[in-house]
Amino acid sequence: MAISSLFIVTPEPLQVSSATAQLKPVVAVVMGSDSDLETLQPAIQVLERFEFAVEVRILSAHRTPIEMVAFAQQAKSKGLKVIIAGAGGAAHLPGMIASLTSLPVIGVPVQSKALSGVDSMHSIVQMPGGIPVATVAIDGGLNAGLLASQILALSNQNLEEQIMKFREAVHDEVTAKDAQLIELGPNDYLTQM
Ligand code: RP5
């Protein structure tokens, strides 16, 4: 079972206090195309499990540059604290947004058809000095959501505790698999996967 499947097998919301729950978005998940949504969905899901309201937008650096600029310029004043930006191919969206705001930007390279996302990764990770983008793995939507949560947890102890509970769940999932592998042996384990 993949780590990201934790959200499918344990759908109950985490116990986050009302002091933690956010009604106004402090985090945005933006993407270059609706074809990126599946990749960004784990980020949205983990943020919602931590009870954040999430602003989700399609904003293309190339197809809707005016809307992208307006979003980035207004992001801080409307209360956003972190932006997750995913794009594929000539993936300029995270870097362009980062150039227009002082908010931390987490870039998600989306796996492209032609070059398997290596083009997206290089476009996002190779930022010039002075304008950083924190880049996660190709299709690393889950880690983008977790990293945004960790940034927000710097000023929220309850959220930090929930993140540590999530880590415990990740740990327990792997130790359970290890125990089953020892019990069944590799051949039977593979058969029941
Ligand atoms: C990028 O082009 C988007 O981020 C997307 O990953 C890629 C392909 O877009 P579509 O042609 O699927 O709309 O701007």
Side-chain angles (χ1 to χ4, degrees):
M1 191 190 311
I3 298 298
S4 55
S5 66
L6 279 168
F7 303 106
I8 297 160
V9 295
T10 58
E12 71 281 1
L14 296 167
Q15 296 304 305
V16 181
S17 76
S18 56
T20 307
Q22 303 280 343
L23 298 176
K24 195 175 153 197
V26 289
V27 56
V29 175
V30 304
M31 63 207 81
S33 167
D34 62 353
S35 63
D36 301 325
L37 182 55
E38 203 178 330
T39 298
L40 277 301
Q41 185 71 346
I44 299 165
Q45 284 176 330
V46 78
L47 288 161
E48 289 181 344
R49 280 178 65 83
F50 290 136
E51 298 201 355
F52 285 109
V54 185
E55 180 175 355
V56 184
R57 302 283 305 276
I58 299 167
L59 296 165
S60 169
H62 307 118
R63 293 167 174 159
T64 62
I66 307 296
E67 288 80 358
M68 178 208 64
V69 169
F71 165 82
Q73 287 179 329
Q74 293 159 16
K76 191 160 187 227
S77 61
K78 71 182 176 187
L80 291 172
K81 304 268 188 238
V82 188
I83 298 169
I84 294 171
H92 299 137
L93 180 66
M96 284 304 301
I97 289 178
S99 76
L100 292 160
T101 179
S102 61
L103 294 176
V105 175
I106 301 169
V108 184
V110 173
Q111 186 165 20
S112 56
K113 282 193 190 120
L115 296 171
S116 302
V118 173
D119 45 352
S120 324
M121 182 184 67
H122 287 167
S123 300
I124 296 174
V125 79
Q126 292 291 7
M127 287 296 291
I131 311 292
V133 170
T135 310
V136 297
I138 295 169
D139 279 355
L142 173 63
N143 274 1
L146 288 169
L147 184 55
S149 302
Q150 287 175 227
I151 292 169
L152 296 165
L154 287 171
S155 55
N156 186 329
Q157 199 180 341
N158 182 272
L159 176 59
E160 187 190 344
E161 286 163 12
Q162 298 309 316
I163 290 169
M164 293 319 290
K165 279 188 191 163
F166 175 88
R167 294 250 178 132
E168 277 172 38
V170 170
H171 168 272
D172 293 349
E173 190 173 297
V174 175
T175 54
K177 287 178 180 175
D178 180 46
Q180 204 175 10
L181 177 61
I182 291 166
E183 187 188 324
L184 297 177
N187 291 336
D188 285 352
Y189 188 96
L190 272 177
T191 308
Q192 59 89 53
M193 266 181 94

